[in-house]
Amino acid sequence: MTDIAKVLSRAWGTELTTPDMTMEEAVAAGMPGWGVTSHEFLNVVGQPARPEYARAFGIPLTTFEEWAYGHPQATA
């Protein structure tokens, strides 16, 4: 999440930060049970999406930074 905040900060021209918490701290701060479960799952299984899978099907790829610069910050 720290890397994502850095990319969005550059792309959107506004400083974004992310908290650095243990799972216990996140729960105490209000993370719902399903959030805990999904994070635990990803910590064990990892993210199965791989760029080579998309390339094999001819799907064009975009980096997160390219996406961020192409999608300006939403304003309320």
Side-chain angles (χ1 to χ4, degrees):
M1 298 311 270
T2 302
D3 291 341
I4 290 171
K6 288 177 185 177
V7 169
L8 293 176
S9 292
R10 283 192 305 270
W12 294 349
T14 189
E15 186 63 28
L16 300 173
T17 60
T18 57
D20 185 13
M21 300 180 185
T22 65
M23 193 63 70
E24 292 77 20
E25 291 168 333
V27 169
M31 178 186 277
W34 60 265
V36 173
T37 303
S38 64
H39 282 282
E40 289 173 343
F41 176 80
L42 289 174
N43 286 338
V44 173
V45 176
Q47 180 52 268
R50 300 282 184 263
E52 57 270 19
Y53 299 156
R55 284 189 198 102
F57 289 103
I59 298 171
L61 302 174
T62 301
T63 67
F64 180 69
E65 190 153 10
E66 291 168 334
W67 177 90
Y69 275 97
H71 291 79
Q73 180 182 10
T75 57

